[in-house]
Amino acid sequence: MKIYSIETIRDFSEFYTVVEAQNKDGWTLIDVLPSTDHEEGFILLFAKEDYPLDIAS
């Protein structure tokens, strides 16, 4: 199952720092969207596979 994470940045000066930090935690950048509010910025959408715990074992 995929799980998703959203990060917001004000400008692209923060882009590489945020993406590198997310990648270290196993997240993959899947989309960049313009901010939906009246402020300038971007929404970064990340995803990763979530493997549920095997409760039976």
Side-chain angles (χ1 to χ4, degrees):
M1 172 175 68
K2 281 196 180 196
I3 58 174
Y4 299 92
S5 174
I6 295 173
E7 294 286 336
T8 57
I9 57 173
R10 291 187 185 266
D11 58 50
F12 268 97
S13 66
E14 303 172 48
F15 180 81
Y16 292 107
T17 303
V18 172
V19 172
E20 278 186 5
Q22 291 289 349
N23 284 344
K24 286 181 182 177
D25 289 336
W27 295 95
T28 301
L29 180 66
I30 59 171
D31 207 351
V32 178
L33 306 165
S35 181
T36 57
D37 57 15
H38 296 291
E39 295 181 24
E40 291 185 17
F42 300 91
I43 298 168
L44 308 180
L45 180 61
F46 294 88
K48 74 175 174 178
E49 290 296 324
D50 180 35
Y51 299 100
L53 296 174
D54 185 4
I55 298 173
S57 59

